Coordinates of all heavy atoms in Angstrom, one line a residue:
Chain A
L28 N 151.1 192.4 175.2 CA 151.0 191.8 176.5 C 151.1 192.8 177.6 O 150.8 192.5 178.8 CB 152.0 190.6 176.6 CG 151.9 189.5 175.6 CD1 153.0 188.5 175.8 CD2 150.5 188.8 175.8
N29 N 151.6 194.0 177.3 CA 151.7 195.0 178.3 C 150.5 195.9 178.5 O 150.4 196.7 179.3 CB 152.9 195.9 178.0 CG 154.2 195.2 178.1 OD1 154.3 194.2 178.8 ND2 155.2 195.7 177.4
D30 N 149.5 195.7 177.6 CA 148.3 196.4 177.6 C 147.1 195.5 177.2 O 146.5 195.8 176.2 CB 148.4 197.7 176.8 CG 147.1 198.5 176.9 OD1 146.4 198.4 177.8 OD2 146.9 199.3 175.9
L31 N 146.8 194.5 178.0 CA 145.8 193.6 177.7 C 144.4 194.2 177.7 O 143.5 193.8 176.9 CB 145.9 192.4 178.6 CG 147.2 191.5 178.4 CD1 147.2 190.4 179.5 CD2 147.2 190.9 177.0
P32 N 144.1 195.1 178.7 CA 142.8 195.6 178.7 C 142.5 196.5 177.5 O 141.4 196.5 176.9 CB 142.7 196.5 180.0 CG 143.8 195.9 180.8 CD 144.9 195.5 179.9
R37 N 140.4 193.5 176.0 CA 140.0 192.8 177.2 C 140.4 191.3 177.2 O 139.7 190.4 177.7 CB 138.5 192.9 177.5 CG 138.0 194.3 177.7 CD 138.8 195.0 178.8 NE 139.0 194.3 180.0 CZ 138.1 194.2 181.0 NH1 137.0 194.8 180.9 NH2 138.4 193.5 182.1
D39 N 142.7 190.4 179.0 CA 143.0 190.2 180.4 C 141.8 189.4 181.0 O 142.0 188.4 181.7 CB 143.2 191.5 181.2 CG 142.0 192.4 181.2 OD1 141.4 192.7 180.1 OD2 141.5 192.9 182.2
R43 N 141.8 185.5 182.5 CA 141.4 185.1 183.8 C 140.3 184.0 183.8 O 140.2 183.2 184.6 CB 140.9 186.3 184.6 CG 142.0 187.3 185.0 CD 141.5 188.3 186.0 NE 140.5 189.1 185.5 CZ 140.6 190.2 184.8 NH1 141.8 190.6 184.4 NH2 139.6 190.9 184.4
T46 N 142.2 180.7 183.3 CA 142.8 180.2 184.5 C 141.8 179.8 185.6 O 142.0 178.8 186.3 CB 143.8 181.2 185.1 OG1 143.2 182.4 185.2 CG2 145.0 181.3 184.2
A47 N 140.7 180.5 185.7 CA 139.6 180.1 186.6 C 139.0 178.8 186.2 O 138.6 178.0 187.1 CB 138.5 181.2 186.6
A48 N 139.0 178.5 184.9 CA 138.4 177.2 184.4 C 139.3 176.0 184.7 O 138.8 174.9 184.9 CB 138.1 177.4 182.9
L50 N 142.6 176.0 186.6 CA 143.6 175.9 187.7 C 143.0 175.7 189.1 O 142.2 176.4 189.5 CB 144.6 177.1 187.7 CG 145.4 177.2 186.4 CD1 146.4 178.4 186.6 CD2 146.2 175.9 186.1
I51 N 143.5 174.6 189.7 CA 143.3 174.4 191.2 C 144.7 174.4 191.8 O 145.7 174.3 191.0 CB 142.5 173.2 191.5 CG1 143.1 172.0 190.8 CG2 141.0 173.3 191.0 CD1 142.4 170.7 191.0
S52 N 144.8 174.4 193.1 CA 146.1 174.3 193.7 C 146.8 173.1 193.3 O 146.3 172.0 193.4 CB 146.0 174.4 195.2 OG 145.7 175.6 195.7
H53 N 148.0 173.2 192.8 CA 148.9 172.1 192.4 C 148.2 171.2 191.4 O 148.3 169.9 191.5 CB 149.3 171.3 193.6 CG 149.6 172.2 194.8 ND1 150.7 173.0 194.8 CD2 149.0 172.4 196.0 CE1 150.7 173.7 195.9 NE2 149.7 173.3 196.7
G54 N 147.4 171.7 190.5 CA 146.8 170.8 189.5 C 145.9 171.5 188.5 O 145.8 172.8 188.5
R56 N 142.2 171.1 186.0 CA 141.0 170.3 185.8 C 141.0 169.8 184.4 O 140.7 170.5 183.4 CB 139.8 171.3 185.9 CG 139.6 171.8 187.4 CD 138.4 172.7 187.4 NE 138.2 173.4 188.7 CZ 137.4 172.9 189.7 NH1 136.8 171.7 189.6 NH2 137.3 173.5 190.8
P87 N 149.2 180.7 186.3 CA 148.1 181.4 186.8 C 148.0 182.9 186.4 O 147.0 183.5 186.6 CB 148.3 181.4 188.4 CG 149.4 180.3 188.6 CD 150.2 180.3 187.4
D88 N 149.1 183.5 185.9 CA 149.0 184.9 185.7 C 148.4 185.2 184.3 O 148.5 184.4 183.4 CB 150.5 185.5 185.8 CG 151.4 185.0 184.7 OD1 151.6 183.8 184.6 OD2 151.8 185.8 183.8
E89 N 147.9 186.4 184.2 CA 147.2 186.8 183.0 C 148.1 186.9 181.8 O 147.7 186.5 180.7 CB 146.6 188.3 183.1 CG 145.4 188.4 183.9 CD 145.1 189.8 184.3 OE1 145.5 190.7 183.6 OE2 144.5 190.0 185.4
R90 N 149.3 187.4 182.0 CA 150.2 187.7 180.9 C 150.6 186.5 180.1 O 150.5 186.4 178.9 CB 151.4 188.5 181.4 CG 152.3 189.0 180.4 CD 153.6 189.5 181.1 NE 154.6 189.8 180.1 CZ 154.8 191.0 179.6 NH1 154.0 192.0 180.0 NH2 155.7 191.3 178.7
E139 N 122.0 186.8 184.9 CA 121.4 187.3 186.1 C 120.0 187.0 186.2 O 119.2 187.1 185.2 CB 121.6 188.8 186.2 CG 123.0 189.2 186.4 CD 123.2 190.6 185.9 OE1 122.5 191.6 186.3 OE2 124.1 190.8 185.0
R145 N 122.2 175.6 192.3 CA 122.0 174.4 193.2 C 120.6 173.8 192.8 O 120.4 172.6 193.1 CB 122.0 174.9 194.6 CG 122.0 173.8 195.6 CD 122.3 174.2 197.0 NE 122.4 173.0 197.8 CZ 123.1 173.0 198.9 NH1 123.7 174.0 199.4 NH2 123.1 171.9 199.6
H162 N 132.6 191.6 179.4 CA 132.1 192.7 180.2 C 130.9 193.3 179.6 O 130.2 194.2 180.2 CB 133.2 193.8 180.4 CG 133.7 194.3 179.1 ND1 134.3 193.5 178.2 CD2 133.7 195.5 178.6 CE1 134.7 194.2 177.1 NE2 134.3 195.4 177.3
L183 N 123.8 183.1 189.5 CA 124.8 182.7 190.5 C 124.7 183.5 191.8 O 125.5 183.3 192.7 CB 126.2 182.8 189.9 CG 126.4 181.8 188.8 CD1 127.7 182.1 188.0 CD2 126.5 180.3 189.3
G184 N 123.7 184.4 191.9 CA 123.7 185.2 193.1 C 123.0 186.5 192.9 O 122.6 186.8 191.7
P185 N 122.9 187.3 193.9 CA 122.1 188.5 193.8 C 122.8 189.6 193.1 O 122.2 190.6 192.7 CB 121.8 188.9 195.3 CG 122.9 188.3 196.0 CD 123.3 187.0 195.3
L186 N 124.1 189.5 192.9 CA 124.9 190.6 192.3 C 125.4 190.2 190.9 O 125.5 189.0 190.6 CB 126.1 190.9 193.1 CG 125.9 191.4 194.5 CD1 127.2 191.5 195.3 CD2 125.1 192.7 194.5
S187 N 125.6 191.2 190.1 CA 126.2 191.0 188.7 C 127.7 190.8 188.9 O 128.3 191.7 189.4 CB 125.8 192.1 187.8 OG 126.4 192.0 186.6
L188 N 128.2 189.7 188.4 CA 129.6 189.4 188.7 C 130.5 189.3 187.4 O 130.0 189.1 186.3 CB 129.7 188.0 189.4 CG 128.9 187.9 190.7 CD1 128.9 186.4 191.2 CD2 129.4 188.8 191.7
H189 N 131.8 189.4 187.6 CA 132.7 189.3 186.5 C 132.7 187.8 186.0 O 132.5 186.9 186.7 CB 134.1 189.7 187.0 CG 134.3 191.1 187.1 ND1 135.5 191.8 186.8 CD2 133.5 192.1 187.4 CE1 135.4 193.1 187.0 NE2 134.2 193.3 187.4
T190 N 133.0 187.7 184.7 CA 133.0 186.5 184.0 C 133.8 185.4 184.7 O 133.3 184.3 184.9 CB 133.6 186.7 182.6 OG1 132.9 187.8 182.0 CG2 133.4 185.4 181.7
E191 N 135.0 185.7 185.0 CA 135.9 184.7 185.6 C 135.5 184.3 187.0 O 135.6 183.1 187.4 CB 137.4 185.3 185.7 CG 137.6 186.4 186.6 CD 137.4 187.8 186.0 OE1 136.6 187.9 185.1 OE2 138.0 188.7 186.5
H192 N 134.8 185.2 187.7 CA 134.3 184.8 189.0 C 133.1 183.9 188.9 O 132.9 183.0 189.7 CB 133.9 186.1 189.8 CG 135.1 187.0 190.0 ND1 134.9 188.4 190.3 CD2 136.4 186.8 190.0 CE1 136.1 188.9 190.4 NE2 137.0 188.0 190.2
C193 N 132.3 184.0 187.8 CA 131.2 183.1 187.5 C 131.8 181.7 187.3 O 131.2 180.7 187.8 CB 130.4 183.6 186.3 SG 129.6 185.1 186.6
T195 N 134.5 180.4 188.4 CA 134.9 179.8 189.8 C 133.7 179.3 190.5 O 133.8 178.2 191.1 CB 135.6 180.9 190.6 OG1 136.8 181.3 189.9 CG2 136.0 180.4 192.0
L196 N 132.6 180.0 190.5 CA 131.4 179.7 191.2 C 130.8 178.4 190.6 O 130.3 177.6 191.4 CB 130.4 180.8 191.3 CG 130.9 182.1 192.0 CD1 130.0 183.2 191.9 CD2 131.1 181.8 193.5
N199 N 132.9 175.3 191.6 CA 132.8 175.0 193.0 C 131.4 174.4 193.4 O 131.3 173.5 194.1 CB 133.0 176.3 193.9 CG 133.0 176.0 195.4 OD1 132.1 176.4 196.1 ND2 133.9 175.3 195.9
G200 N 130.3 175.0 192.7 CA 129.0 174.4 192.9 C 128.9 173.0 192.5 O 128.5 172.1 193.2
D202 N 131.5 170.9 192.1 CA 132.4 170.2 193.0 C 131.6 169.8 194.3 O 131.7 168.7 194.8 CB 133.6 171.0 193.5 CG 134.6 171.3 192.3 OD1 134.5 170.6 191.3 OD2 135.4 172.2 192.5
L203 N 131.0 170.8 194.9 CA 130.3 170.6 196.2 C 129.2 169.6 196.1 O 128.9 168.9 197.0 CB 129.8 172.0 196.7 CG 130.7 172.9 197.4 CD1 130.0 174.2 197.6 CD2 131.2 172.3 198.7
W204 N 128.4 169.7 195.0 CA 127.2 168.9 194.9 C 127.5 167.6 194.1 O 126.6 167.0 193.6 CB 126.1 169.7 194.4 CG 125.9 171.0 195.2 CD1 126.0 171.0 196.6 CD2 125.7 172.3 194.8 NE1 125.9 172.3 197.0 CE2 125.7 173.1 195.9 CE3 125.6 172.9 193.5 CZ2 125.6 174.5 195.9 CZ3 125.4 174.3 193.5 CH2 125.4 175.1 194.6
Chain B
L28 N 156.5 195.1 186.5 CA 155.1 194.8 186.2 C 155.0 193.8 185.0 O 154.0 193.3 184.7 CB 154.4 196.1 185.8 CG 154.3 197.1 187.0 CD1 153.6 198.4 186.5 CD2 153.5 196.5 188.2
N29 N 156.2 193.6 184.3 CA 156.2 192.7 183.2 C 156.5 191.3 183.6 O 156.5 190.3 182.8 CB 157.2 193.1 182.1 CG 156.8 194.4 181.5 OD1 155.6 194.7 181.4 ND2 157.8 195.1 180.9
D30 N 156.8 191.1 184.9 CA 157.1 189.7 185.4 C 156.7 189.6 186.9 O 157.5 189.5 187.8 CB 158.6 189.5 185.3 CG 159.0 188.1 185.8 OD1 158.1 187.2 185.8 OD2 160.2 187.8 186.2
L31 N 155.4 189.7 187.0 CA 154.8 189.7 188.4 C 155.0 188.3 189.1 O 155.2 188.3 190.3 CB 153.3 190.0 188.3 CG 153.0 191.5 187.9 CD1 151.5 191.7 187.7 CD2 153.6 192.5 188.9
P32 N 154.9 187.2 188.4 CA 155.1 185.9 189.1 C 156.5 185.8 189.6 O 156.7 185.3 190.7 CB 154.8 184.9 188.0 CG 153.9 185.6 187.0 CD 154.4 187.0 187.0
R37 N 155.1 186.7 193.2 CA 153.7 186.3 193.1 C 152.8 187.5 193.4 O 151.7 187.3 194.0 CB 153.4 185.1 194.0 CG 154.2 183.8 193.6 CD 154.0 183.5 192.1 NE 152.7 183.5 191.6 CZ 151.8 182.5 191.7 NH1 152.2 181.4 192.2 NH2 150.6 182.6 191.2
D39 N 151.3 188.8 191.2 CA 150.1 188.5 190.3 C 149.0 187.9 191.1 O 147.8 188.3 191.0 CB 150.5 187.5 189.2 CG 151.0 186.2 189.6 OD1 151.8 186.1 190.5 OD2 150.5 185.2 189.1
R43 N 145.2 189.5 191.9 CA 143.9 188.9 191.6 C 143.1 188.8 192.9 O 141.9 188.8 192.9 CB 144.2 187.5 191.0 CG 144.7 187.6 189.6 CD 144.6 186.2 189.0 NE 145.4 185.2 189.6 CZ 146.7 185.0 189.5 NH1 147.4 185.8 188.7 NH2 147.4 184.0 190.2
T46 N 141.4 192.2 193.3 CA 140.3 192.4 192.4 C 139.1 191.5 192.7 O 137.9 191.9 192.6 CB 140.7 192.3 190.9 OG1 141.4 191.1 190.7 CG2 141.6 193.4 190.5
A47 N 139.4 190.3 193.1 CA 138.3 189.4 193.5 C 137.6 189.9 194.7 O 136.4 189.7 194.9 CB 138.8 188.0 193.8
A48 N 138.3 190.6 195.6 CA 137.7 191.1 196.8 C 136.8 192.3 196.5 O 135.8 192.5 197.2 CB 138.7 191.5 197.8
L50 N 135.8 193.8 193.1 CA 135.1 194.2 191.9 C 133.9 193.3 191.6 O 134.0 192.0 191.6 CB 136.1 194.1 190.7 CG 137.2 195.1 190.7 CD1 138.1 195.1 189.5 CD2 136.7 196.6 190.9
I51 N 132.8 193.9 191.3 CA 131.7 193.2 190.8 C 131.4 194.0 189.4 O 132.0 195.0 189.2 CB 130.5 193.3 191.7 CG1 130.2 194.7 192.2 CG2 130.7 192.4 192.9 CD1 129.0 194.8 193.1
S52 N 130.5 193.5 188.6 CA 130.2 194.2 187.4 C 129.7 195.6 187.6 O 128.8 195.8 188.4 CB 129.1 193.4 186.6 OG 129.7 192.3 186.0
H53 N 130.4 196.5 187.0 CA 129.9 197.9 187.1 C 129.9 198.4 188.6 O 129.0 199.1 189.0 CB 128.6 198.1 186.5 CG 128.4 197.4 185.2 ND1 129.2 197.6 184.1 CD2 127.6 196.3 184.9 CE1 128.8 196.8 183.1 NE2 127.9 196.0 183.6
G54 N 130.8 197.9 189.4 CA 130.8 198.5 190.8 C 131.9 197.9 191.6 O 132.7 197.1 191.2
R56 N 132.8 196.6 195.8 CA 132.3 196.3 197.2 C 132.9 197.3 198.2 O 134.0 197.1 198.6 CB 132.6 194.9 197.5 CG 132.0 193.8 196.6 CD 132.4 192.4 197.1 NE 131.9 191.4 196.2 CZ 130.8 190.7 196.4 NH1 130.0 191.1 197.4 NH2 130.4 189.8 195.6
P87 N 140.3 195.8 186.6 CA 140.2 194.4 186.8 C 141.5 193.6 186.5 O 141.7 192.5 186.9 CB 139.1 193.9 185.8 CG 138.4 195.1 185.4 CD 139.4 196.3 185.5
D88 N 142.4 194.3 185.7 CA 143.6 193.5 185.3 C 144.7 193.5 186.4 O 144.8 194.4 187.2 CB 144.2 194.1 184.0 CG 144.7 195.5 184.2 OD1 143.9 196.4 184.6 OD2 145.9 195.7 184.0
E89 N 145.5 192.4 186.3 CA 146.6 192.3 187.3 C 147.6 193.4 187.3 O 148.1 193.8 188.4 CB 147.4 191.0 187.0 CG 146.7 189.7 187.4 CD 147.4 188.5 186.8 OE1 148.6 188.6 186.5 OE2 146.7 187.5 186.5
R90 N 148.0 193.8 186.1 CA 149.1 194.7 186.0 C 148.8 196.0 186.7 O 149.7 196.5 187.4 CB 149.4 194.9 184.5 CG 150.6 195.7 184.2 CD 150.7 196.0 182.7 NE 151.8 196.9 182.4 CZ 153.0 196.5 182.1 NH1 153.3 195.3 182.0 NH2 153.9 197.4 181.8
E139 N 141.6 174.0 204.0 CA 141.0 172.8 203.5 C 140.5 171.9 204.7 O 141.2 171.8 205.7 CB 142.0 172.0 202.7 CG 142.4 172.6 201.4 CD 143.8 172.2 201.0 OE1 144.0 171.0 200.8 OE2 144.6 173.1 200.7
R145 N 128.6 177.5 204.5 CA 127.2 177.6 204.7 C 126.8 177.2 206.1 O 125.7 177.6 206.6 CB 126.5 176.7 203.7 CG 125.0 177.0 203.6 CD 124.4 176.3 202.4 NE 123.0 176.7 202.3 CZ 122.3 176.7 201.3 NH1 122.8 176.2 200.1 NH2 121.0 177.1 201.3
H162 N 150.3 180.9 197.5 CA 150.4 179.6 197.0 C 151.1 178.7 198.0 O 151.2 177.5 197.7 CB 151.2 179.6 195.7 CG 152.5 180.3 195.8 ND1 152.7 181.6 196.2 CD2 153.8 179.8 195.6 CE1 154.0 181.9 196.3 NE2 154.7 180.8 195.9
L183 N 136.0 175.4 201.8 CA 135.2 175.9 200.7 C 134.8 174.8 199.7 O 134.2 175.1 198.6 CB 135.9 177.1 200.0 CG 136.0 178.3 200.9 CD1 137.0 179.3 200.2 CD2 134.7 179.0 201.2
G184 N 135.2 173.6 199.9 CA 134.9 172.5 198.9 C 135.9 171.4 199.0 O 136.8 171.5 199.8
P185 N 135.7 170.4 198.1 CA 136.5 169.2 198.2 C 137.9 169.4 197.6 O 138.8 168.5 197.8 CB 135.7 168.2 197.4 CG 134.9 169.0 196.5 CD 134.6 170.3 197.2
L186 N 138.1 170.5 196.9 CA 139.4 170.6 196.2 C 140.2 171.8 196.8 O 139.6 172.7 197.4 CB 139.2 171.0 194.7 CG 138.5 169.9 193.9 CD1 138.3 170.4 192.5 CD2 139.3 168.6 193.9
S187 N 141.5 171.7 196.7 CA 142.4 172.8 197.2 C 142.4 173.9 196.1 O 142.7 173.6 194.9 CB 143.8 172.3 197.4 OG 144.6 173.3 197.8
L188 N 142.0 175.1 196.4 CA 141.8 176.2 195.4 C 142.8 177.3 195.6 O 143.4 177.5 196.6 CB 140.4 176.7 195.6 CG 139.3 175.6 195.5 CD1 137.9 176.3 195.8 CD2 139.2 175.1 194.1
H189 N 142.9 178.1 194.5 CA 143.7 179.3 194.5 C 143.1 180.3 195.4 O 141.9 180.4 195.5 CB 143.8 179.8 193.1 CG 144.8 179.1 192.2 ND1 145.6 179.6 191.3 CD2 145.2 177.8 192.2 CE1 146.4 178.7 190.7 NE2 146.1 177.6 191.2
T190 N 144.0 181.2 196.0 CA 143.6 182.2 196.9 C 142.5 183.1 196.4 O 141.5 183.3 197.1 CB 144.8 183.1 197.2 OG1 145.9 182.2 197.6 CG2 144.5 184.1 198.3
E191 N 142.6 183.6 195.2 CA 141.7 184.6 194.7 C 140.3 183.9 194.4 O 139.3 184.5 194.6 CB 142.2 185.2 193.4 CG 142.3 184.3 192.2 CD 143.7 183.6 192.1 OE1 144.3 183.4 193.2 OE2 144.1 183.3 191.0
H192 N 140.3 182.6 194.1 CA 139.1 181.9 193.9 C 138.4 181.7 195.2 O 137.1 181.8 195.3 CB 139.3 180.6 193.2 CG 140.0 180.7 191.8 ND1 140.7 179.7 191.2 CD2 140.1 181.8 191.0 CE1 141.2 180.2 190.0 NE2 140.8 181.4 189.9
C193 N 139.1 181.5 196.3 CA 138.5 181.4 197.6 C 137.8 182.7 198.0 O 136.7 182.7 198.5 CB 139.6 181.1 198.6 SG 140.3 179.5 198.4
T195 N 136.4 184.9 195.9 CA 135.2 184.9 195.2 C 134.1 184.1 195.8 O 132.9 184.5 195.9 CB 135.5 184.4 193.7 OG1 136.4 185.3 193.1 CG2 134.2 184.4 192.9
L196 N 134.5 182.9 196.3 CA 133.5 182.0 196.8 C 133.0 182.5 198.2 O 131.8 182.3 198.5 CB 134.2 180.6 197.0 CG 134.5 179.9 195.7 CD1 135.3 178.6 196.0 CD2 133.3 179.5 194.9
N199 N 130.5 185.3 197.4 CA 129.2 184.8 196.9 C 128.4 184.1 198.0 O 127.2 184.2 198.0 CB 129.5 183.9 195.7 CG 128.3 183.4 195.0 OD1 127.9 182.2 195.1 ND2 127.5 184.2 194.3
G200 N 129.1 183.3 198.8 CA 128.4 182.6 199.9 C 127.7 183.6 200.8 O 126.5 183.4 201.1
D202 N 126.9 186.7 200.0 CA 125.8 187.3 199.2 C 124.5 186.5 199.2 O 123.4 187.0 199.4 CB 126.3 187.5 197.8 CG 127.4 188.5 197.6 OD1 127.7 189.3 198.6 OD2 128.0 188.5 196.6
L203 N 124.7 185.2 198.9 CA 123.6 184.3 198.7 C 122.8 184.1 200.0 O 121.6 184.0 200.0 CB 124.1 182.9 198.3 CG 124.4 182.8 196.8 CD1 125.0 181.4 196.6 CD2 123.1 182.9 196.0
W204 N 123.5 184.0 201.1 CA 122.9 183.7 202.4 C 122.6 185.0 203.2 O 122.3 184.9 204.4 CB 123.7 182.7 203.1 CG 123.9 181.5 202.3 CD1 123.0 180.9 201.4 CD2 125.1 180.8 202.0 NE1 123.6 179.9 200.7 CE2 124.9 179.8 201.0 CE3 126.4 180.9 202.6 CZ2 125.8 178.9 200.6 CZ3 127.4 180.0 202.1 CH2 127.1 179.0 201.1

Side-chain angles (χ1 to χ4, degrees):
Chain A
L28 297 176
N29 293 337
D30 181 20
L31 295 174
R37 300 308 312 278
D39 63 310
R43 289 192 300 279
T46 50
L50 296 183
I51 51 178
S52 283
H53 319 296
R56 295 180 185 269
D88 66 300
E89 280 167 30
R90 186 188 174 91
E139 291 154 56
R145 195 171 183 153
H162 58 299
L183 295 166
L186 299 175
S187 176
L188 302 173
H189 282 213
T190 309
E191 68 272 29
H192 300 159
C193 294
T195 297
L196 296 171
N199 183 250
D202 292 344
L203 278 173
W204 307 318
Chain B
L28 296 177
N29 293 337
D30 182 20
L31 295 174
R37 301 308 312 277
D39 63 310
R43 289 192 299 278
T46 51
L50 296 183
I51 52 179
S52 282
H53 320 297
R56 295 180 184 269
D88 66 300
E89 281 168 28
R90 186 187 173 92
E139 290 155 55
R145 193 171 186 157
H162 59 299
L183 295 168
L186 298 175
S187 176
L188 301 173
H189 282 212
T190 310
E191 67 272 29
H192 300 159
C193 294
T195 297
L196 295 172
N199 184 250
D202 291 345
L203 278 174
W204 306 318

